[in-house]
Amino acid sequence: MIGDMGDVPIEHYYQINEAHNDITKFYKQVHNAGVIPLSIGGDHSICLPIFRAIACDQPIGLIHIDAHTDTCDEEMGYKITHGTPFRRAIEAGLLDPKRTIQIGIRGAQNSEEGWNYAQESGIRVIFIEEFMDKGVEAIIREARRIVGKGPTYLTFDIDSIDPAYAPGTGTPEIGGISPYQAQSLLRGLRGLNLVGGDVVEVAPPFDPTGNTALVAATMIFEILCLLVESIEKRK
Amino acid sequence: MIGDMGDVPIEHYYQINEAHNDITKFYKQVHNAGVIPLSIGGDHSICLPIFRAIACDQPIGLIHIDAHTDTCDEEMGYKITHGTPFRRAIEAGLLDPKRTIQIGIRGAQNSEEGWNYAQESGIRVIFIEEFMDKGVEAIIREARRIVGKGPTYLTFDIDSIDPAYAPGTGTPEIGGISPYQAQSLLRGLRGLNLVGGDVVEVAPPFDPTGNTALVAATMIFEILCLLVESIEKRK
Amino acid sequence: MIGDMGDVPIEHYYQINEAHNDITKFYKQVHNAGVIPLSIGGDHSICLPIFRAIACDQPIGLIHIDAHTDTCDEEMGYKITHGTPFRRAIEAGLLDPKRTIQIGIRGAQNSEEGWNYAQESGIRVIFIEEFMDKGVEAIIREARRIVGKGPTYLTFDIDSIDPAYAPGTGTPEIGGISPYQAQSLLRGLRGLNLVGGDVVEVAPPFDPTGNTALVAATMIFEILCLLVESIEKRK
Amino acid sequence: MIGDMGDVPIEHYYQINEAHNDITKFYKQVHNAGVIPLSIGGDHSICLPIFRAIACDQPIGLIHIDAHTDTCDEEMGYKITHGTPFRRAIEAGLLDPKRTIQIGIRGAQNSEEGWNYAQESGIRVIFIEEFMDKGVEAIIREARRIVGKGPTYLTFDIDSIDPAYAPGTGTPEIGGISPYQAQSLLRGLRGLNLVGGDVVEVAPPFDPTGNTALVAATMIFEILCLLVESIEKRK
Amino acid sequence: MIGDMGDVPIEHYYQINEAHNDITKFYKQVHNAGVIPLSIGGDHSICLPIFRAIACDQPIGLIHIDAHTDTCDEEMGYKITHGTPFRRAIEAGLLDPKRTIQIGIRGAQNSEEGWNYAQESGIRVIFIEEFMDKGVEAIIREARRIVGKGPTYLTFDIDSIDPAYAPGTGTPEIGGISPYQAQSLLRGLRGLNLVGGDVVEVAPPFDPTGNTALVAATMIFEILCLLVESIEKRK
Amino acid sequence: MIGDMGDVPIEHYYQINEAHNDITKFYKQVHNAGVIPLSIGGDHSICLPIFRAIACDQPIGLIHIDAHTDTCDEEMGYKITHGTPFRRAIEAGLLDPKRTIQIGIRGAQNSEEGWNYAQESGIRVIFIEEFMDKGVEAIIREARRIVGKGPTYLTFDIDSIDPAYAPGTGTPEIGGISPYQAQSLLRGLRGLNLVGGDVVEVAPPFDPTGNTALVAATMIFEILCLLVESIEKRK
């Protein structure tokens, strides 16, 4: 069954920890109903409460397309932010770093500390230079090798895309991947054992042309196709 | 002495209550040094921690120019938000509602509950219809009558201005006052016993022309003149 | 009962006459169900097919707020366009010119021929100069005098508003009325015998700030209040 | 002789069939004068009336650069629209599908029905995936092979370009070709037997930067060079 | 005769003094041919070389609608800039300060020194406060009284208009006049002995909506009507 | 030592020759202090006064990334403009054309005369076609071969980048290089004997998204890294 769950009900907007509890509560219902969620952000911190709902039985693998690893220890003194979700998820045993790949990493708004944690914890980090040098096909093969047959989540941060194509986001980094490359990459992930997906960090007011929304909607469509096929395969 | 204090140091960005503590801590230093603060927002919630620093000795009066009364009891379940500061301030004995006037109130993003509280607590609420019917001169007289000679704060929400002149704000309400009317209103407040002022709710990304910033800067200048004159008079 | 009918089903997009038939067919259902329609355009030509549905029993009166009279005989050789609906409606006996008032007329995209027809047919035309000289209250009295107690339609072209407030439209004319004046005008029309209303000619792509949509939505809200009260009164 | 014919005189704007007759009438004069037309749209439906003027003696070949095949049977119930011109042209014997190639096809605003018709009628359809996989040089060779030495028309829809480069169009599709690829493709078409060309679907209001117009103007220039050389060669 | 002279030929773009000589040379030809010029800027410095051409026989009077008096002695060390033309013109005996009125003066980008010179030289300066207090009719009477029956030039700086209506200009000042007020003011100047006019300081890239150009074009049209009538009257 | 020199003090804004003298004066101080300058434009003419300060002892080599060669003899009659600096520098013996490479040249706003001068004087001109055909690695090798071990300046015109990524510039040319290609190119220049660098022709008002500034800031960062490494190597 494919359907639209509508907005996630969040009661506690001004306390991120409590808002995360609201999100987890909702996704546990989704998960217990046997539904595979495809979410639209929101900032990247939402992965943490989603993982708490859908990865409570066993750690999941992750294909993470982004300009940033989002594995800092803290941001401006806080542990729970859009720069830290995957570190928190690893610490909580929700995410298996050995089955995690991060693709498209680059730019000035990263911290070395976050990069180091990612690599030291066992995550396979594909910096943009490797992506551009080896090409999409090689990256697809590497992603499939890393995540294998286990349960895997797919998260797509719109800032992985070069900001010429998607200026409507909060931490743009130049020198990114093109929407065509992103589509090719996603299409190469057919047949994986996917347990969820999302597209995050879309901020329409920063884009007077509306292109960002169009790119995001297309990526959501591509991921939806992957999830449906994954569900069919498991039956 | 007139000077620029720079950014208010805020350490706790992700917890509004703690951020407010940071703000109060800073403004207490300002206040203890005998300095009259002129602040640039930020959202309207900043008035509460500022009042905690400068109105701890006695309740202050308020001239509040805005499309909204910001006197709700809560917003999305929270007591401390940009829609509630003046209710919290009245409850805390920081603000004297009998010496408070709210000017320019209108529009769809208000709640009756907030309006009711404002009027029942004794605030003089000037809806936009009264403002337009009676004209700026009459409103000036009413504002001066309400606040009298006691210590008075002046807060200017940019959304009091019609969004044609200042689209760069988060809760625009059409049918507002013009910048010329706002300037005339502010100039009519010379000689009051002012103990602080601010311009809040400016959001540049929503305005591709930059006019919002220009309007805000001019209002800051007008208020600065009022504050300086007020300091001179007290000497 | 107040409700949202959703989009008007139009099957024949590429032939304006047939599209108008689709519109008339839908509005006849609305009219026969005893429902008073409040429509959102679309260009101004939609008034003609709406009138064919709701004014088939007797000619209606009209309060028409616009920069243009829309009473040309033809536009680029065509009889049915957004510049001709009210002339066609008078010819068809759907609109009573003696009970019609046009408010806010001005600008370079008008034709003298349209103005002449309006005035010679008996329409009361309020050019912007008269509007500004006499003020909103006088114009309200004149509008009420013209339409009297008979059934009256209220049509609001967003280009009546000065393009500083509403740039998102196809034939902007500078020197227009402000949203506050428009609100005041609409509120002065309470208690009339209203049989329908609309807001037309909104074109969002021409307005990067979104203000045009906000102004239009507010005018729709104001007219909705008028229609509801009018329905209550007739009961 | 190279010259600017000015605007095509269109008398019947509100009936697409009649407007097409106006266009055909004008282009017959151009054609009879021995002039090779280079047209600037306007929507893609204009190809049909142009073909009626210049392909009346024998069917022409076509190099069609676009995100869409524009070979639907109808759109919203209409046979003559911007989504159907090449199907109508094939049915009318104006266009030889065996000598037609469509390059850059992709995206969500296509219909399978249109794609099927294109391929079943014998058109060579280059989807964006084939374009990106094989590269511009291979596509040039294929285009030259398909159209051969016969009379050939060249039509360039601006939405073939990725909307990051040309947001000013009505049906943008992400994942498109870059302006540099488009220039390379056009330059590879030197020496063909060209009988006309156009650039269509440019809509400036959707692009606040003006880049769309700049891209379009450059493509017109590239096509102009091809047409001039083609005329020289035939002499 | 009414006609379009096209662009003023300027050969020396990088040296303002020489560029001014080019302008004067052209306007002398215009003047000697008995033509009354209506010019479109360009920055406000162009008045000086125009005056050198048309006011060489006797000093002219001036109706100057602007946010700034443009009577500084120098700007960043230069005597010939867009902030100084009317001081230079008075010094050169081209402009009669006793027959000069400046309307709409306001804002932060003025210098007191310029204001003082204007008033001390005998210019009648209407600050925006006086304009708003007394109203357009009173200002028209004052303008007609000041310039009398002698030869008079009319210069309209687009920054006289509030930047909500005309953001496309280099030195916007909030709190300005509305286009409707400007139209009313211009229409009140019928029958004067006008010897030239202009609209200056329009900068389209600062205005994504295009409203500034629309306002400017309308003001040009209003002034054109005044000039034509003035020519007719002199015959 | 790495530090920010602040704005270059320019006293003579209205006379380009004198403004250039101001620039040269400042850079001589920088040069005499043993500091390697990294400058932010401003238009491309600033290279000439900078070269006068830092290349007075011996001619320098140049890596010039741009859409234009900027080697015209004059522009609108002037010898000193943003289209002529490198011709003037060669004539003055400041620039060694044999050790100069220009990369990314293309587009409609060039003149053949400038291209011819560049090539005839011995400059190695890499048109965009060669850049795209051979790829970044080959262009890096060629650049290193041309400039060799002698003192070399690196100038980066933002219009080298395709205007989809950087619309905020005065003479955009479509079909340019991507920011990723530019980063790769710059990173390939490590270890050269660099004596200065700049990024020029950034014009923020033409870009409502802010991407142009982000691209420019990143290129400045990349060049800063190159300069620092070059200084270290020379020690």
Side-chain angles (χ1 to χ4, degrees), chain A residues 83-97:
Chain A
T84 63
F86 302 112
R87 187 154 180 168
R88 290 297 91 77
I90 289 170
E91 292 168 352
L94 301 166
L95 183 64
D96 180 355

Side-chain angles (χ1 to χ4, degrees), chain F residues 97-114:
Chain F
K98 298 285 189 297
R99 292 187 53 243
T100 294
I101 184 166
Q102 299 183 311
I103 302 170
I105 307 306
R106 67 185 186 280
Q109 301 178 74
N110 281 282
S111 71
E112 276 192 54
E113 176 257 351

Side-chain angles (χ1 to χ4, degrees), chain E residues 11-19 75-78 80-82 205-206, chain F residues 11-18 43 75-78 80-82 205-206:
Chain E
E11 287 179 54
H12 305 82
Y13 271 102
Y14 285 89
Q15 304 279 0
I16 193 169
N17 292 359
E18 295 181 30
E75 202 170 319
M76 292 184 289
Y78 282 85
I80 305 290
T81 78
H82 65 106
F206 293 92
Chain F
E11 288 178 53
H12 306 82
Y13 271 103
Y14 283 89
Q15 303 280 1
I16 194 168
N17 291 1
E18 294 181 30
D43 79 21
E75 202 169 318
M76 291 184 290
Y78 281 84
I80 305 291
T81 78
H82 66 106
F206 292 93

Side-chain angles (χ1 to χ4, degrees), chain B residues 128-201:
Chain B
I128 193 68
E129 289 80 6
E130 183 178 357
F131 181 92
M132 294 294 196
D133 283 356
K134 294 189 175 164
V136 170
E137 290 307 314
I139 303 306
I140 289 169
R141 283 193 300 272
E142 182 70 352
R144 300 183 75 98
R145 186 183 71 79
I146 293 290
V147 301
K149 295 185 177 172
T152 301
Y153 190 88
L154 173 55
T155 184
F156 191 100
D157 188 317
I158 198 71
D159 68 24
S160 60
I161 300 287
D162 190 283
Y165 303 87
T169 194
T171 51
E173 305 282 4
I174 73 156
I177 69 178
S178 74
Y180 184 78
Q181 289 173 320
Q183 287 179 296
S184 300
L185 174 58
L186 291 174
R187 290 173 187 177
L189 304 176
R190 293 175 66 170
L192 294 178
N193 181 11
L194 297 174
V195 297
D198 62 52
V199 174
V200 296
E201 300 283 351

